[in-house]
Amino acid sequence: MAARVAELPAELKYIQYEHSLESQYLPAIRALISKDLSEPYSIYVYRYFLYQWGHLCFMALDPVDSSLIGVVICKLEHHASHSPPTRRGYIAMLAVAAPYRGHGVATVLVKKAIDAMAQKNADEVVLETEETNIPAMRLYERLGFLRSKKLHRYYLNGNSAYRLVLLLRHIDPDGHEDPNGAADLSLDDMDTAPR
Ligand SMILES: CC(C)(COP(=O)(O)OP(=O)(O)OC[C@H]1O[C@@H](n2cnc3c(N)ncnc32)[C@H](O)[C@@H]1OP(=O)(O)O)[C@@H](O)C(=O)NCCC(=O)NCCS
């Protein structure tokens, strides 16, 4: 395994995914994500997300050679069957190359994804993560995500997961926004400074 870098090389480039970047970055995105996640995804899963919600996908690139260092992939859907109807953002995949971990790269990526979902009027952002994934749990809980459910033996490897939720907007059962609720949450108020 490559050695962990003591400091990031320089200011990383953070860019939003777009279709014209597919041939340049999709192979690297697949390689980076499949390295650590317990679920193997086919290329169709990546395309499902990237074709529809590429604007909710962000990449961290090496400033020198533009190689991929980190990526977050999300979606945003309207759930009309929820009461009240909900616009739910979902963080599907997140990975940072092992040598670059622990410097806040994932925090920046997740924050950008949340900002993009909030701009598209998401009411909440949800995800699942393995209960043993301490770095991911720390990162998300530091950003304000709460544990909403424990999912026993959720993954193929038999590990359990937590569903985590970040409320961006408080909606009461009658469908009215609570002006004193989570709508006032500002990501800039949270401890998200890159290290
Ligand atoms: C989870 C992951 C994306 C985090 O990336 P990162 O760039 O290192 O994340 P950040 O530096 O922004 O934050 C990581 C947090 O975990 C902490 N952390 C890292 N390794 C840790 C460890 N072994 N034990 C405890 N805490 C740890 C960091 O200190 C930091 O928390 P802090 O800011 O409160 O100090 C990265 O570890 C990864 O790619 N893992 C494999 C894929 C994965 O698990 N994805 C998440 C699926 S939901």
Side-chain angles (χ1 to χ4, degrees), residues 4 22 55 60 63 74 85 92 96-97 113 125 129 134 145 151 180 184 186:
R4 191 166 284 210
E22 177 173 315
H55 56 287
C74 307
V96 170
V125 178
T129 189
I134 306 297
F145 284 81
L151 305 159
N180 299 316
D184 292 337
S186 162

Side-chain angles (χ1 to χ4, degrees), residues 134-145:
I134 306 297
M137 292 294 292
R138 273 190 72 131
L139 181 167
Y140 287 120
E141 294 192 322
R142 181 163 41 74
L143 287 174
F145 284 81

Side-chain angles (χ1 to χ4, degrees), residues 4 36-37 94-97 100-108 127-129 133-136 138-140 142 195:
R4 191 166 284 210
D36 285 291
L37 298 190
L94 169 69
V96 170
Y100 299 95
R101 292 178 190 166
H103 294 287
V105 176
T107 301
V108 175
L127 63 105
E128 294 91 27
T129 189
N133 192 338
I134 306 297
R138 273 190 72 131
L139 181 167
Y140 287 120
R142 181 163 41 74
R195 290 168 298 272

Side-chain angles (χ1 to χ4, degrees), residues 59-134:
M59 302 187 288
L61 305 180
D62 184 307
V64 176
D65 62 5
S66 292
S67 59
L68 186 73
I69 285 177
V71 64
V72 63
I73 295 178
C74 307
K75 68 175 176 173
L76 176 60
E77 289 179 314
H78 184 72
H79 292 271
S81 59
H82 289 196
S83 178
T86 306
R87 283 180 67 77
R88 172 179 284 181
Y90 181 72
I91 299 180
M93 304 174 208
L94 169 69
V96 170
Y100 299 95
R101 292 178 190 166
H103 294 287
V105 176
T107 301
V108 175
L109 288 168
V110 169
K111 193 183 165 209
K112 284 184 180 294
I114 294 169
D115 281 345
M117 289 187 264
Q119 271 177 26
K120 296 280 179 191
N121 297 320
D123 298 306
E124 60 185 14
V125 178
V126 304
L127 63 105
E128 294 91 27
T129 189
E130 278 185 43
E131 62 174 339
T132 53
N133 192 338
I134 306 297

